[in-house]
Amino acid sequence: MTEEAPPEPDISPLLAQALAAHDATLDETRPTAVARQHARGRWTARERIAALVDPGTFVEYGQLAQPQRRSLGDAPADGLVMGVGLVDGVSVCAFTYDYTVMGGSQSPRNHRKMDRMMEVAERNRWPIIFWSEGGGARASELHYDGGTVTTFVQLARLSGLVPIVTILSGPSFAGQANIAGTSDVIIATKDSTLGLSGPPLVMSATGEMLTPEELGPMSMHERIGTVELVVGDEAAALDAARKYLSYFTGIAAPSAMTAPDQTRLRTMVPENPRRAYDMRKIVATLADEGSVMELRPTFGRCLSTSLCRIEGHVVGVLANNPMFGAGAIDAEGSAKFSRHVELCNAYDIPLLFVCDTPGFMIGTAAEATALVRHSARTLMALSAADVPILTVILRKAYGLGYYAMGSDALAPDLIVGWPTAEFGGMGLEGAVNIVYRDELSSAPDDAARREIREQRVAEWKERNTGLEFARSFLLDDIIDPADTRDLVARLLATLPPRPPRDGRKHPIDPW
């Protein structure tokens, strides 16, 4: 004799109605919309959330929201899925526009949803991840009174207070672009597009008929520095977002703190100061394996900015690139420099300067980029920074470029050089040409002039070597390059822990 199954508990009509309303928002009940999104090569909004958060931890807010203009028909979650979940055990506020609902458009109601979620993020100091896909405001609801939209100003006020990541997947125009522009970091798939106005508005205002790819291709935004990182697909974007947040939250804690053979560093910098080398290889050698995340790698190429770990300690690295303009800092590099300093300072990440620069760029082309202002921004950012600064001088440390690249004027917690380090108020050859102008001009011929120049440059080099600066105690030490990682790690370990953040914040310049 089999036992009868217990009767189903009674469900009231009201509860049944509420449960049905929730079910109607899920992918399982929307196969046609899901198929369309998959045909575009994109995850659905709920698939994105499921891929991001730890299973069973997501708490959704506003799942039953519907447009104010109800004649638009059913719009699951009003086109915005959002809530709080754990990512490797750390709380994160997650938002994703649902492109299957009116193209992921922004409405008065889903703006209210977003405002509500940002209040929660601010109160609890939780990081934010926006997954953006949509074309801005929902035109059919522009005339509806949804109250004052505070989304964009709220997001701006969160800058420097909680880490904010935007992932671009597909088209992101108008309001979605505003969100991206205010974020700390933008991670984009290579086929995504971005623009402050979408193709329909551009057509209406200017008569230009453009596709999203013509108006805001990611290849352009990567080149001009709008985005920090471009990746192949949504899975790679998610991995990059998790890695980025790990530097601020402990998400995706590092594996074994191993590094390449440090003796390689002894031969990575050519003794000939005119020979270039790959600075990225030096940073990768110093850092824990797999821990380097370079930001804006194709913008401001005179400088490499990255986040990494050194024996588990998170640092923000600024390293000159001798393979581009000999490492002279130009306007783009200055903007990149300032933003990285502000980012690290906002979240209490120590700065590691790896210096090899002849100074700021010079010449008419450089001046035409408003370099005077851009270079000053580097000093403004540094003057506001109160995080530890560590400086390692590899080769050239000249002029105002060195002044900004962690010089003793900034009172770094450590300033050391490699044996190849050399110093000067400007390039030594240029200084010799100026100081010994009369002697050079009175030389009988070019050969004599060249001999005088080479002799004077050699004399100046002898007085301005790293060893001489260390003997004068203008450096803390000249070190074996192979000892750099260990020395930096030991000093980072001795620094006192930063006090708990008390609500102070340092807004991060969008540029």
Side-chain angles (χ1 to χ4, degrees):
M1 181 176 176
T2 58
E3 294 184 8
E4 292 185 4
E8 290 288 334
D10 291 336
I11 296 179
S12 71
L14 290 177
L15 177 56
Q17 183 182 19
L19 294 175
H22 283 87
D23 288 345
T25 69
L26 304 180
D27 287 355
E28 293 78 5
T29 59
R30 309 177 62 236
T32 302
V34 170
R36 282 199 303 267
Q37 183 72 347
H38 287 172
R40 299 176 61 243
R42 306 290 179 195
W43 292 345
T44 68
R46 296 192 178 278
E47 287 171 337
R48 291 167 178 166
I49 294 294
L52 172 66
V53 303
D54 300 345
T57 66
F58 187 62
V59 178
E60 185 167 352
Y61 288 58
Q63 185 176 357
L64 299 182
Q66 290 288 328
Q68 286 182 252
R69 185 180 177 186
R70 298 306 299 275
S71 62
L72 292 174
D74 186 53
D78 199 20
L80 178 70
V81 179
M82 68 177 204
V84 178
L86 300 181
V87 178
D88 290 342
V90 177
S91 298
V92 171
C93 293
F95 304 74
T96 176
Y97 286 98
D98 188 342
Y99 198 77
T100 70
V101 178
M102 304 182 202
S105 53
Q106 296 178 327
S107 70
R109 191 145 287 163
N110 67 32
H111 271 300
R112 284 182 57 195
K113 287 178 61 174
M114 189 173 291
D115 293 350
R116 161 79 169 129
M117 195 79 265
M118 285 194 288
E119 290 170 2
V120 173
E122 180 177 8
R123 182 162 54 248
N124 295 287
R125 303 293 190 267
W126 286 339
I128 291 174
I129 293 182
F130 285 106
W131 209 308
S132 180
E133 185 180 19
R138 188 177 299 164
S140 57
E141 290 199 279
L142 287 177
H143 65 288
Y144 275 71
D145 181 14
T148 301
V149 172
T150 63
T151 302
F152 305 120
V153 71
Q154 277 207 80
L155 186 58
R157 287 171 179 161
L158 288 176
S159 175
L161 187 63
V162 299
I164 304 170
V165 178
T166 289
I167 296 175
L168 301 180
S169 177
S172 291
F173 289 96
Q176 274 86 351
N178 289 336
I179 290 171
T182 317
S183 303
D184 298 350
V185 65
I186 304 173
I187 301 167
T189 60
K190 62 184 179 181
D191 58 350
S192 58
T193 53
L194 177 70
L196 202 55
S197 296
L201 182 56
V202 171
M203 172 59 187
S204 175
T206 70
E208 292 180 280
M209 296 183 64
L210 301 169
T211 65
E213 292 74 20
E214 292 169 331
L215 180 58
M218 199 45 55
S219 57
M220 175 189 73
H221 287 296
E222 182 180 27
R223 185 183 72 253
I224 65 177
T226 311
V227 301
E228 275 70 23
L229 198 62
V230 176
V231 297
D233 55 24
E234 291 181 295
L238 179 58
D239 289 342
R242 293 167 75 102
K243 183 174 182 177
Y244 176 81
L245 285 179
S246 74
Y247 301 106
F248 306 92
T249 63
I251 293 175
S255 56
M257 294 177 289
T258 58
D261 178 6
Q262 296 298 292
T263 60
R264 298 179 192 172
L265 294 170
R266 292 172 175 165
T267 56
M268 282 188 173
V269 175
E271 292 187 8
N272 182 347
R274 295 185 181 278
R275 282 189 57 199
Y277 60 93
D278 190 346
M279 180 66 82
R280 291 183 175 93
K281 291 182 178 179
I282 288 179
V283 174
T285 302
L286 288 171
D288 296 352
E289 288 184 326
S291 74
V292 179
M293 186 177 203
E294 186 174 3
L295 304 177
R296 303 167 101 182
T298 62
F299 171 75
R301 290 184 293 158
C302 64
L303 189 75
S304 172
T305 55
S306 58
L307 298 166
C308 73
R309 293 183 182 84
I310 296 179
E311 293 194 8
H313 301 284
V314 177
V315 292
V317 180
L318 296 98
N320 304 112
N321 177 16
M323 298 183 74
F324 186 86
I329 305 171
D330 57 19
E332 286 189 1
S334 297
K336 184 174 174 179
F337 180 116
S338 304
R339 180 173 173 78
H340 201 59
V341 170
E342 291 174 356
L343 175 70
C344 294
N345 188 54
Y347 302 113
D348 299 325
I349 295 176
L351 293 167
L352 173 62
F353 288 92
V354 186
C355 177
D356 184 356
T357 182
F360 282 94
M361 186 60 74
I362 61 174
T364 56
E367 300 300 350
T369 63
L371 182 57
V372 169
R373 286 291 195 178
H374 288 292
S375 63
R377 285 182 58 201
T378 67
L379 301 178
M380 299 295 285
L382 287 166
S383 69
D386 59 2
V387 293
I389 292 176
L390 293 79
T391 304
V392 181
I393 301 160
L394 273 53
R395 196 166 60 178
K396 296 178 182 177
Y398 292 170
L400 190 60
Y402 166 53
Y403 193 96
M405 283 294 298
S407 72
D408 56 340
L410 302 173
D413 294 85
L414 176 72
I415 180 169
V416 296
W418 287 5
T420 44
E422 59 181 49
F423 298 81
M426 64 181 72
L428 299 184
E429 290 83 355
V432 165
N433 287 336
I434 294 171
V435 173
Y436 298 100
R437 179 186 305 144
D438 293 344
E439 183 179 1
L440 290 168
S441 63
S442 62
D445 52 42
D446 289 344
R449 189 173 299 108
R450 183 166 52 254
E451 182 178 354
I452 293 171
R453 183 180 293 108
E454 289 175 352
Q455 178 185 347
R456 294 303 188 189
V457 168
E459 292 171 357
W460 277 52
K461 280 182 178 289
E462 184 65 27
R463 294 198 302 266
N464 289 279
T465 64
L467 195 58
E468 287 300 313
F469 266 54
R471 286 170 173 160
S472 301
F473 197 46
L474 297 172
L475 296 176
D476 293 322
D477 204 358
I478 289 293
I479 64 171
D480 180 346
D483 292 337
T484 307
R485 171 181 163 85
D486 178 64
L487 180 63
V488 169
R490 282 189 282 127
L491 184 64
L492 289 171
T494 65
L495 293 171
R498 305 289 290 178
R501 303 185 77 199
D502 57 2
R504 67 181 175 84
K505 71 187 206 71
H506 301 283
I508 301 165
D509 190 322
W511 186 235

